Amino acid sequence: MDAAEVEFLAEKELVTIIPNFSLDKIYLIGGDLGPFNPGLPVDVPLWLAVNLKQRQKCRLVPPAWMDVEKLENIRDHERKEETFTPMPSPYYMELTKLLLNHASDNIPKADEIRTLVKDVWDTRIAKLRVSADRFVRDQEAHAELDNLTLMEINTSGAFLTQALNHMYKLRTNLQPSPSSQSQDF
Amino acid sequence: MFVSDFRKEFYEVVQSQRVLLFVAWDVDALCACKILQALFQCDHVQYTLIPVSGWQELETAFLEHKEQIKLLIKQDDDLEVPAYDDIFRDEQEDEAHSGNESDNGSEPSEKRTRLEEEIVEQTMKRRQRREWEARRRDILFDYEQYEYHGTSSAMVMFDLAWMMSKDLNDMLWWAIVGLTDQWVQDKITQMKYVTDIGVLQRHASRHNHRNEDEENALSVDCTRISFEYDLRLALYQHWSLHDSLCNTCYTAARFKLWSVHGQKRLQEFLADMGLPLKQVKQKFQSMDISLKENLREMIEESANKFGMKDMRVQTFSIHFGFKHKFLASDVVFATMSLMESPEKDGSGTDNFIQALDSLSRSNLDKLYHGLELAKKQLRATQQTIASCLCTNLVISQGPFLYCSLMEGTPDVVLFSKPASLSLLSRHLLKSFVCSTKNRRCKLLPLVMAAPLSMEQGTVTMVGIPPETDGSDRKNFFGRAFEKAAEGTNSRTLHNHFDLSVIELKAEDRSKFLDALVSLLS
């Protein structure tokens, strides 16, 4: 999968906005989006929130977990544990990136949040690399990856499976079959 | 177009239609265009953008799209409009006046016969009509005689955005750049500039007050605009202090840097402040921090001693990210150089689009490129001025001063565009006023000519009003050029929106100048 596709899937997540216009309920294929009244918070998918923000029609409210102390706790917890800890949202990386790019003026202490989320991401990717390395070296048959988000799986998933395929082919060709001929110059 | 409620009568009409936007080749027009583009993007209004450099292009583009045009909007520096009533009130007044007259006339009319009454009334009416027309012609002549600039159109657009509550920090910055462009090109009086700065300062503090609050400070990436009482030196933060002092018109003229004596005075000035020459010639960013700390106050004090009272000027600066900080005048110079750079690639609109792009935050490389071009332009301007003054190329023709750039002068190709040539002429006049001892010459206006195109043998000519402290920046050369051209049948092209810049065939130059001399004396 492309990273862009994963981001596209992440845009379905609901976030809270405070619109400055009024509109009746709209009925979309994915569901209803409830009436918009200026000043009253309403939950909408991320793609609509970003679009409205770009057109200056709303103010974004950061999700509850996007707070400096909570993220510090998550980061410390992640660093202590050997396995992966559960994340506040299955799309935490994409949400952070989109919200901080388009609405950093609505999010307090945006710089520190960006640093903290990056720290958490780095820790988890490092654990993933270590685990993949051990997997290959010990020639394990299966691994347990709880609490991984789609974006993290996507960074190494495609490469890992293709590399394992190649290694399998190389390994099976180590024992030459009786019918194969070697080349003569 | 006269409208009383900008939002209702203009924007809401336009919002539901497809818009054709003609934009003049001017930094102020570019900024207004950017603000309008941002508003259109918010409301999903389709628009087409056509840059026009003069009346002829405006006409051809208009004729091309004639079938689809219902309402015409043009972005330009507003020429000051006298009170709407001045021109049209006369009609009502006259009607009321004639009403009164006929009343007064009816009292003694008991002695006259009815027929006489009617004849008298008719002649009175005809006389009043002629008087009214004469008065109207006078007012229109006064209106068209002088050319001057009103409020910056970028500020007008920003007001529209503010009325619709869609104003952002970015739009405020464009309004600031538009206003600063008017000040850099000496198009408005100092009074008006200070008033407008006050207006913009209120907006700036409204948008940027969160920067002081440590608790909820904004991300470093957000644009921050701050009010500064900063030095008048052009591009000094992106150049070395020494280069900036040499190439800013204000300091170069006051120090008389084209003479050896002037260079010595500059050294004295720097020594007076205790700035070592080696430091001052380095890039400003790399200067010692201890020297940069009180730089503004030190320079202002020393400048006062050397006779330069207005070293500091009220302006704004923007910064975002950790690295990028710009003063409004820096952006003005950069955009102007991009727009008028002599590199011709493809159609003439490439430069326009580049300059337009450099105003948005995501195209900082274009802005930096523009800054480099601006440095070249400023250096070329100062060198040309120095050579003109040293070789006495500025001659007095009687009612005005005249200077002509020869074909082989270095960098003369930079000065064929109207804004660059106007800037050069203004700086030349200021430097000349500082250098000459002749009292009468100090009060004369200047006419400047520069070669435009070798093949067609044309020159660009620009007229600058005399340099006085309290001048109201009204320029009468537009009409004067027109009359002189009519009188001598010279082949001229009054194409630019700024009527004091014309193109003229080189052979007709001398008779044109003679006609101008006789007209103005």
Side-chain angles (χ1 to χ4, degrees):
Chain A
M1 256 191 160
D2 229 353
E5 288 172 5
V6 178
E7 191 184 56
F8 181 72
L9 289 175
E11 283 177 348
K12 272 196 322 190
E13 290 289 300
L14 291 176
V15 291
T16 317
I17 63 163
I18 301 181
N20 60 22
F21 60 99
S22 63
L23 191 60
D24 286 331
K25 221 170 176 186
I26 49 179
Y27 303 94
L28 303 177
I29 290 179
D32 301 340
L33 290 178
F36 296 90
N37 294 310
L40 296 180
V42 64
D43 284 337
V44 294
L46 184 58
W47 56 270
L48 182 60
V50 167
N51 181 285
L52 288 176
K53 173 73 184 170
Q54 283 174 330
R55 289 161 61 188
Q56 295 177 55
K57 287 190 176 330
C58 75
R59 198 163 65 84
L60 279 171
V61 173
W65 53 266
M66 209 178 262
D67 171 63
V68 174
E69 286 162 16
K70 295 207 180 96
L71 283 174
E72 276 178 356
N73 289 338
I74 292 176
R75 179 193 60 177
D76 296 332
H77 188 43
E78 185 72 38
R79 281 180 179 166
K80 271 195 305 220
E81 296 286 321
E82 283 239 352
T83 56
F84 300 96
T85 60
M87 280 286 115
S89 155
Y91 295 105
Y92 73 96
M93 193 63 188
E94 299 89 308
L95 272 176
T96 314
K97 174 176 166 283
L98 283 170
L99 287 177
L100 288 178
N101 277 354
H102 296 284
S104 57
D105 48 336
N106 291 145
I107 299 176
K109 303 211 179 145
D111 293 330
E112 289 163 22
I113 289 180
R114 203 193 296 259
T115 321
L116 286 167
V117 170
K118 187 80 170 66
D119 285 342
V120 170
W121 170 268
D122 285 339
T123 317
R124 289 166 72 89
I125 292 290
K127 282 189 203 169
L128 187 59
R129 265 200 299 266
V130 161
S131 138
D133 186 49
R134 203 173 53 206
F135 178 78
V136 169
R137 197 170 317 132
D138 301 342
Q139 296 191 22
E140 302 279 346
H142 66 273
E144 185 181 342
L145 301 169
D146 286 342
N147 299 323
L148 264 187
T149 64
L150 185 57
M151 195 64 145
E152 289 152 0
I153 297 175
N154 194 45
T155 50
S156 49
F159 173 71
L160 189 61
T161 46
Q162 281 190 12
L164 290 173
N165 276 342
H166 277 297
M167 285 176 64
Y168 174 72
K169 278 196 210 135
L170 288 172
R171 234 178 250 134
T172 49
N173 281 338
L174 272 180
Q175 300 100 16
S177 48
S179 57
S180 72
Q181 301 163 347
S182 60
Q183 280 184 346
D184 285 323
F185 281 105
Chain B
M1 206 171 112
F2 297 118
V3 289
S4 34
D5 185 348
F6 202 3
R7 174 181 181 169
K8 275 214 260 319
E9 294 177 28
F10 167 66
Y11 194 71
E12 291 186 4
V13 165
V14 151
Q15 206 177 3
S16 47
Q17 321 255 358
R18 199 175 154 155
V19 181
L20 181 62
L21 206 56
F22 292 118
V23 186
W25 280 68
D26 190 273
V27 178
D28 189 18
L30 282 180
C31 295
C33 172
K34 277 295 248 210
I35 299 182
L36 205 53
Q37 275 181 324
L39 286 175
F40 283 166
Q41 274 178 348
C42 281
D43 290 324
H44 293 320
V45 175
Q46 290 180 315
Y47 65 95
T48 316
L49 183 66
I50 300 187
V52 290
S53 61
W55 298 104
Q56 278 187 352
E57 274 194 37
L58 183 61
E59 273 184 52
T60 37
F62 179 70
L63 290 172
E64 262 175 53
H65 294 90
K66 200 167 54 159
E67 279 80 59
Q68 308 157 25
I69 291 191
K70 279 191 255 173
L71 183 66
L72 188 56
I73 307 155
K74 182 163 78 84
Q75 303 272 308
D76 188 42
D77 282 322
D78 298 338
L79 297 178
E80 175 81 62
V81 177
Y84 182 83
D85 299 323
D86 269 353
I87 303 187
F88 296 101
R89 193 197 298 154
D90 294 325
E91 212 168 311
Q92 291 168 335
E93 260 189 18
D94 274 308
E95 283 175 2
H97 192 59
S98 67
N100 282 341
E101 279 231 37
S102 58
D103 280 344
N104 289 340
S106 66
E107 282 165 23
S109 75
E110 282 147 15
K111 300 181 193 162
R112 301 185 197 165
T113 62
R114 210 144 253 253
L115 191 55
E116 278 184 10
E117 242 182 67
E118 279 178 20
I119 295 178
V120 163
E121 268 193 46
Q122 273 182 17
T123 42
M124 300 268 301
K125 275 210 188 112
R126 243 179 268 141
R127 201 189 318 155
Q128 279 160 25
R129 177 93 200 159
R130 260 178 275 141
E131 276 177 17
W132 178 79
E133 275 185 2
R135 219 182 313 161
R136 181 171 190 267
R137 236 174 311 148
D138 280 338
I139 290 184
L140 276 180
F141 179 69
D142 277 338
Y143 173 51
E144 288 174 3
Q145 178 188 39
Y146 284 103
E147 199 184 35
Y148 51 104
H149 293 269
T151 315
S152 142
S153 44
M155 279 184 65
V156 171
M157 286 297 150
F158 181 74
D159 266 342
L160 172 67
W162 182 46
M163 268 194 268
M164 298 197 296
S165 302
K166 290 207 165 129
D167 55 330
L168 282 182
N169 234 356
D170 286 332
M171 294 188 195
L172 175 62
W173 177 245
W174 289 325
I176 291 174
V177 172
L179 174 65
T180 314
D181 169 63
Q182 283 196 320
W183 176 75
V184 160
Q185 297 195 22
D186 269 344
K187 287 185 185 165
I188 52 176
T189 62
Q190 188 68 11
M191 211 45 211
K192 177 133 181 65
Y193 176 69
V194 171
T195 324
D196 286 342
I197 286 272
V199 168
L200 288 176
Q201 194 182 355
R202 284 195 281 275
H203 287 296
S205 51
R206 182 169 55 91
H207 277 286
N208 290 293
H209 65 274
R210 274 171 73 185
N211 301 338
E212 282 89 54
D213 183 9
E214 274 309 315
E215 265 301 307
N216 285 329
L218 285 179
S219 156
V220 159
D221 280 336
C222 292
T223 58
R224 288 160 203 236
I225 299 181
S226 44
F227 176 77
E228 311 250 350
Y229 190 39
D230 208 343
L231 296 173
R232 212 171 166 163
L233 304 171
L235 303 180
Y236 80 95
Q237 289 177 353
H238 302 272
W239 219 349
S240 69
L241 194 56
H242 186 253
D243 276 334
S244 183
L245 278 167
C246 293
N247 291 315
T248 306
C249 163
Y250 186 70
T251 46
R254 299 277 186 304
F255 280 134
K256 306 200 189 39
L257 284 178
W258 51 85
S259 65
V260 175
H261 175 65
Q263 302 276 357
K264 289 218 183 89
R265 284 197 78 202
L266 179 62
Q267 315 267 20
E268 275 178 34
F269 176 70
L270 293 171
D272 186 58
M273 286 191 291
L275 294 172
L277 204 57
K278 213 173 80 158
Q279 285 286 333
V280 159
K281 289 199 177 166
Q282 269 190 336
K283 271 185 72 117
F284 188 78
Q285 318 272 18
S286 333
M287 261 175 78
D288 254 352
I289 301 218
S290 55
L291 293 173
K292 279 199 277 196
E293 248 159 39
N294 282 331
L295 190 68
R296 291 184 209 169
E297 286 85 14
M298 274 199 314
I299 290 194
E300 188 178 17
E301 257 187 63
S302 302
N304 270 332
K305 282 191 226 159
F306 280 75
M308 298 187 284
K309 302 250 180 319
D310 295 318
M311 198 59 174
R312 284 171 81 167
V313 71
Q314 300 176 337
T315 182
F316 292 89
S317 74
I318 190 176
H319 70 269
F320 42 84
F322 287 103
K323 196 164 74 143
H324 309 290
K325 175 166 196 248
F326 301 100
L327 283 177
S329 54
D330 299 343
V331 177
V332 166
F333 280 120
T335 315
M336 208 172 8
S337 314
L338 274 177
M339 216 166 41
E340 307 211 325
S341 74
E343 302 153 5
K344 278 208 184 246
D345 19 275
S347 62
T349 54
D350 271 352
N351 286 340
F352 182 87
I353 300 293
Q354 268 216 328
L356 195 62
D357 283 339
S358 76
L359 282 174
S360 59
R361 244 187 78 173
S362 40
N363 294 323
L364 281 178
D365 52 339
K366 293 200 179 140
L367 190 61
Y368 280 116
H369 178 56
L371 282 174
E372 295 302 314
L373 288 176
K375 288 182 198 172
K376 270 195 227 153
Q377 174 110 18
L378 285 172
R379 264 203 211 107
T381 310
Q382 281 308 121
Q383 281 170 359
T384 318
I385 291 180
S387 69
C388 281
L389 287 175
C390 288
T391 55
N392 286 331
L393 272 180
V394 182
I395 35 188
S396 162
Q397 296 273 11
F400 58 86
L401 301 163
Y402 177 68
C403 175
S404 158
L405 292 180
M406 292 292 117
E407 187 49 38
T409 325
D411 299 319
V412 79
V413 69
L414 279 176
F415 298 123
S416 53
K417 301 277 171 69
S420 320
L421 189 57
S422 309
L423 212 59
L424 171 68
S425 325
R426 273 177 235 268
H427 290 185
L428 181 60
L429 185 59
K430 289 194 182 126
S431 308
F432 182 75
V433 161
C434 287
S435 80
T436 184
K437 295 217 181 34
N438 188 335
R439 246 171 219 265
R440 209 182 65 83
C441 279
K442 289 200 197 209
L443 300 172
L444 293 178
L446 171 70
V447 171
M448 182 116 188
L452 176 60
S453 145
M454 270 312 294
E455 313 96 47
Q456 296 169 4
T458 48
V459 293
T460 318
M461 205 170 259
V462 76
I464 308 285
E467 176 70 25
T468 53
D469 278 333
S471 77
D472 49 4
R473 313 271 189 257
K474 296 198 186 188
N475 194 339
F476 51 82
F477 273 105
R479 289 298 252 169
F481 282 162
E482 267 181 37
K483 288 228 172 104
E486 271 171 56
T488 58
N489 282 334
S490 320
R491 293 158 284 176
T492 55
L493 199 60
H494 298 264
N495 190 21
H496 296 283
F497 290 123
D498 188 2
L499 285 174
S500 59
V501 180
I502 62 166
E503 289 172 22
L504 172 67
K505 281 269 184 202
E507 300 113 17
D508 297 336
R509 200 187 342 197
S510 38
K511 57 177 177 166
F512 182 80
L513 283 174
D514 292 334
L516 205 57
V517 167
S518 53
L519 196 65
L520 289 177
S521 42

